[in-house]
Amino acid sequence: MYITCLDLEGVLVPEIWIAFAEASGIPELKRTTRDEPDYNKLMNWRLGILKEHGLGLKEIQETIAKIDPLPGAKEFLDELRSFTQVIIISDTFTQFATPLMEKLGWPTIFCNSLEVADSGEITGFKMRIENSKLTTVKALQSIGYDTIASGDSYNDLGMILSSKAGFLFKSTDKIKADYPDLPAFETYDELMNAIKGVING
């Protein structure tokens, strides 16, 4: 029995923080988990920049409302869900992900939550569990599932390497060079065929 675990940003939707960096004119916010493997460090740094500029949840949600899934993402997900269970495992937050899940047809997502003051200032964040992608994949395996995983960033490597099959998708040249044994795909058709190949054995 297989469960396919997918990253969200960079795989199914554009990177939220990059979109917000462009909308707000703050280029430093373009830094993502493709650049910084330590997610806690990255998020604390982002929150510092938001505070400095007086920006909060409302401004980010206004940007997210304008983000559409990557071309072909919803069709890919619909077809994938017709023959395998799919869980999106993301380090994003429910307050960011919900509008995007609606556009993707409400797939299951496991993510984290933001701590937001009445003023709308993001004061902190609560991670669902430490090292959430790897921990979730291991938990699924412990209840009898084989996992197939795909993502684009450093924080996806744990779940990719620990799964029965793992694939890089739209990743960076650096990550692809560092992990030459991992199959790396650029199109949904390639990824779909690879997943079907594993499931059909």
Side-chain angles (χ1 to χ4, degrees):
M1 299 244 294
Y2 285 99
I3 287 190
T4 301
C5 301
L6 299 174
D7 175 37
L8 177 64
E9 294 179 63
V11 173
L12 298 169
V13 303
E15 292 279 353
I16 291 167
W17 287 98
I18 290 178
F20 186 62
E22 286 166 359
S24 62
I26 305 170
E28 307 95 282
L29 287 173
K30 286 190 174 171
R31 196 168 170 75
T32 71
T33 47
R34 289 171 164 220
D35 314 298
E36 172 53 75
D38 184 333
Y39 192 74
N40 282 354
K41 186 172 157 190
L42 178 64
M43 266 313 293
N44 284 315
W45 180 78
R46 284 168 170 165
L47 295 187
I49 292 175
L50 292 179
K51 193 174 173 64
E52 198 182 301
H53 290 269
L55 297 167
L57 181 59
K58 178 174 156 290
E59 289 79 11
I60 300 175
Q61 285 179 327
E62 283 168 359
T63 297
I64 293 169
K66 300 182 188 125
I67 294 176
D68 284 319
L70 294 171
K74 183 175 184 303
E75 294 75 10
F76 165 75
L77 209 47
D78 287 346
E79 187 182 336
L80 195 58
R81 290 161 73 197
S82 73
F83 65 86
T84 177
Q85 297 296 312
V86 179
I87 298 174
I88 297 169
I89 307 175
S90 173
D91 279 338
T92 192
F93 306 95
T94 23
Q95 293 94 331
F96 291 0
T98 305
L100 297 167
M101 292 307 100
E102 184 176 1
K103 290 179 182 178
L104 286 169
W106 296 113
T108 300
I109 183 168
F110 293 173
C111 61
N112 306 301
S113 57
L114 291 168
E115 292 164 353
V116 185
D118 292 341
S119 64
E121 183 192 343
I122 301 170
T123 54
F125 57 97
K126 190 168 177 6
M127 301 302 276
R128 183 170 53 82
I129 193 166
E130 198 57 44
N131 207 346
S132 67
K133 297 187 182 193
L134 174 60
T135 309
T136 302
V137 156
K138 292 238 176 263
L140 291 168
Q141 291 165 355
S142 78
I143 55 170
Y145 287 97
D146 281 322
T147 57
I148 300 169
S150 184
D152 66 326
S153 296
Y154 282 106
N155 63 340
D156 299 313
L157 291 167
M159 73 171 181
I160 290 172
L161 294 166
S162 301
S163 288
K164 180 144 192 185
F167 309 109
L168 291 171
F169 186 69
K170 297 182 184 289
S171 191
T172 64
D173 290 339
K174 168 110 178 66
I175 294 174
K176 286 190 272 196
D178 288 348
Y179 294 86
D181 294 342
L182 284 178
F185 302 121
E186 296 300 319
T187 71
Y188 291 121
D189 285 347
E190 291 171 325
L191 182 57
M192 180 71 77
N193 289 334
I195 294 170
K196 280 183 175 168
V198 176
I199 290 173
N200 298 331

